[in-house]
Amino acid sequence: MDLSALTDRRLVLAPGDAGYDDELAGFQTGYAQRPDLVFTATSTDDVVAAVTYAADAGLPIGVQATGHGLPDASAGGVLISTRRLDEVVVDPAARTARVGAGVRWGQVVAAAAEHGLAPLNGSAPSVGAVSYTLGGGLGVLAREFGYAADHVRSLDVVTADGAVRHVTADSEPELFWGLLGGGANLGVVTALEIGLVPVTRLYGGALAFDGRDVDPGAVLRAYTAWTETVPDEVTSSLAALVYPDLPMLPEALRGRYLVTVRVAYTGSAAEGERLVAPLRAIGPAHEDSLRELPYTESHTIHSDPDFPHAYYGESRMLDALDGDALERILALTGPAADRMHVVQLNHLGGALARPAANAVPHRDAQWLLRILSPLNGAGGTETAENTAGADRAVLRELYAGAFGEVAPHVLGRSLNFTFASGDRPEGLYDAETHKRLAGLKVTYDPANLFRRNYNVR
């Protein structure tokens, strides 16, 4: 395939070209990609050109929008950068939004809010909306409305044969099913049409306890007992971490061991206050930001970091909880650990358990347990990547011990919360879902061009 037209428009970059490194830079700095060519897509036609070129040359294809969920370091092949496909168009009458592959959740929240609507976005506004949804999409209001993937109306995708397909549940039901939950295995999704919900405000925020003043186990036990009493309109999680004593952090956080409950509730503020009263009774709070807020401030509930950094993370979907096991995990990852670890426990159930016409697995899970840890080193140099790789091996050993504590209740892993583990795709799907996805892979990507991901084979 002749790339001269794209090269003339500076849409194809090779190592050493001006802009090559900038195009590869993303949120995850621990594992760099060093493709032979980067296609900086500005249209669906550019994506078709990239896929056709890679297919003709037999090269693997990777896709990057924001770089949050990079599966691993990689070299060679083709990378399609979709960040310029960043258009959002809201149809307020239909309560839908057309979202390009490079759009971040913050853009969708802002655009929908102009019409009194909200998407089923995640907690971080800088995360790519399309890639997050293709992995399922566990949102701020998940227990009330389900996964983001459950609200997709259609997908525009370029498959390995270079065909442009507009896929709906009616037009190609099996491909529709597999794209939603199958990640980047079946093609390059250039846009989604998603359903929006009539939410403009909520009651929510964070209630943080100092783990050195209030027993973390007591917070954990009180929180899990509380979740048994709340309606589906309440989506919540618990997080525990020791903040490093670093000057760039606010004084109130430096060196603190905080155990925090985060809450989002679409009911009234008065009812929200009544619902959270048992949480406030746990003990004195280091921080209490529970309040009524516009939905455009929903990201402040979690206050996820918004700066690029190197990290590794894993997750387990659980069918039940073992309180003693969770307390042992907190001890393993708390102040006695040799670095910061973020442990998060998401309450599932509610609308997340409802069947849907997509491949999002483990819907019978009641809890999602996540651990995320910073990595030493940052991508960009061979030495830094070797450091990050060695660090990942150390963390895997620690995670094996931590997740081993809850092994009897593990259903699998969550694609959205498995970071830098592209070489370990096992457990992301139940056996039947994996078999069905593997069949679609043979049909739509028989050469496995789309393998720079959490690969299904």
Side-chain angles (χ1 to χ4, degrees):
M1 178 182 180
D2 183 7
L3 296 180
S4 57
L6 293 176
T7 303
D8 291 344
R9 292 165 56 203
R10 299 187 63 80
L11 296 181
V12 180
L13 302 172
D17 287 347
Y20 175 87
D21 290 334
D22 290 340
E23 197 65 35
L24 295 174
F27 194 80
Q28 166 67 277
T29 64
Y31 295 94
Q33 301 191 69
R34 286 289 179 266
D36 295 326
L37 291 176
V38 180
F39 285 74
T40 61
T42 61
S43 67
T44 298
D45 287 344
D46 294 341
V47 175
V48 171
V51 171
T52 302
Y53 173 83
D56 289 346
L59 295 173
I61 299 172
V63 183
Q64 178 174 315
T66 65
H68 280 74
L70 295 184
D72 210 341
S74 64
V78 165
L79 177 72
I80 302 174
S81 174
T82 61
R83 69 184 188 184
R84 292 170 181 78
L85 304 176
D86 60 354
E87 185 180 39
V88 180
V89 179
V90 174
D91 182 337
R95 291 183 180 175
T96 61
R98 179 178 168 80
V99 179
V103 171
R104 299 166 185 254
W105 272 129
Q107 297 170 253
V108 190
V109 171
E114 295 180 9
H115 305 282
L117 300 167
L120 278 304
N121 56 288
S123 60
S126 64
V127 168
V130 169
S131 53
Y132 194 69
T133 301
L134 296 181
L138 183 66
V140 175
L141 305 178
R143 278 177 38 83
E144 182 172 0
F145 295 106
Y147 287 99
D150 301 345
H151 295 261
V152 172
R153 308 288 182 84
S154 67
L155 310 93
D156 292 339
V157 58
V158 179
T159 45
D161 56 0
V164 180
R165 303 170 187 267
H166 181 71
V167 181
T168 70
D170 293 326
S171 67
E172 294 183 82
E174 192 67 3
L175 181 57
F176 181 88
W177 174 89
L179 288 167
L180 296 170
N185 271 283
L186 301 175
V188 183
V189 174
T190 58
L192 297 177
E193 183 184 17
I194 61 173
L196 305 173
V197 295
V199 173
T200 60
R201 42 72 59 201
L202 51 78
Y203 174 87
L207 190 63
F209 301 92
D210 190 319
R212 294 185 175 90
D213 295 334
V214 179
D215 176 19
V219 180
L220 176 65
R221 290 190 297 274
Y223 168 67
T224 55
W226 175 78
T227 61
E228 297 177 2
T229 70
V230 298
D232 290 352
E233 291 77 15
V234 173
T235 301
S236 67
S237 63
L238 177 144
L241 71 152
V242 180
Y243 285 91
D245 189 2
L246 296 175
M248 68 278 296
L249 291 175
E251 182 67 34
L253 295 180
R254 294 181 197 171
R256 294 274 187 177
Y257 178 34
L258 295 186
V259 183
T260 305
V261 177
R262 287 85 65 91
V263 176
Y265 171 57
T266 55
S268 69
E271 181 61 9
E273 286 285 302
R274 187 192 70 79
L275 285 169
V276 302
L279 298 176
R280 287 192 168 126
I282 293 172
H286 174 73
E287 175 195 1
D288 185 344
S289 64
L290 291 165
R291 68 206 187 279
E292 186 166 36
L293 66 156
Y295 193 78
T296 51
E297 295 180 11
S298 62
H299 63 280
T300 65
I301 296 173
H302 296 78
S303 296
D304 291 333
D306 59 0
F307 53 88
H309 56 286
Y311 51 94
Y312 176 68
E314 264 291 5
S315 62
R316 297 294 185 271
M317 305 288 278
L318 308 176
D319 62 7
L321 285 184
D322 179 334
D324 292 339
L326 289 172
E327 288 192 48
R328 290 192 292 272
I329 292 172
L330 291 185
L332 185 65
T333 57
D338 63 354
R339 74 176 77 194
M340 182 181 81
H341 302 286
V342 182
V343 177
Q344 181 161 314
L345 186 67
N346 288 77
H347 182 213
L348 304 180
L352 295 166
R354 298 173 190 162
N358 57 53
V360 180
H362 310 310
R363 286 182 177 267
D364 50 345
Q366 295 299 304
W367 297 92
L368 169 63
L369 176 63
R370 302 154 53 184
I371 307 177
L372 186 143
S373 309
L375 287 168
N376 296 317
T381 69
E382 184 176 351
T383 299
E385 289 181 19
N386 288 341
T387 300
D391 217 19
R392 179 170 68 172
V394 171
L395 290 171
R396 278 184 171 172
E397 184 175 352
L398 181 142
Y399 287 10
F403 288 123
E405 296 285 354
V406 294
H409 298 292
V410 171
L411 298 175
R413 302 157 69 204
S414 169
L415 182 59
N416 281 145
F417 303 106
T418 299
F419 301 116
S421 295
D423 59 334
R424 294 162 60 96
E426 65 275 2
L428 292 172
Y429 304 100
D430 59 86
E432 183 57 35
T433 299
H434 185 276
K435 180 180 178 181
R436 193 170 165 187
L437 284 172
L440 284 169
K441 186 76 168 173
V442 171
T443 299
Y444 290 97
D445 184 19
N448 196 20
L449 295 177
F450 300 111
R451 60 181 182 269
R452 293 282 169 81
N453 48 38
Y454 297 91
N455 201 218
V456 173
R457 294 294 287 164

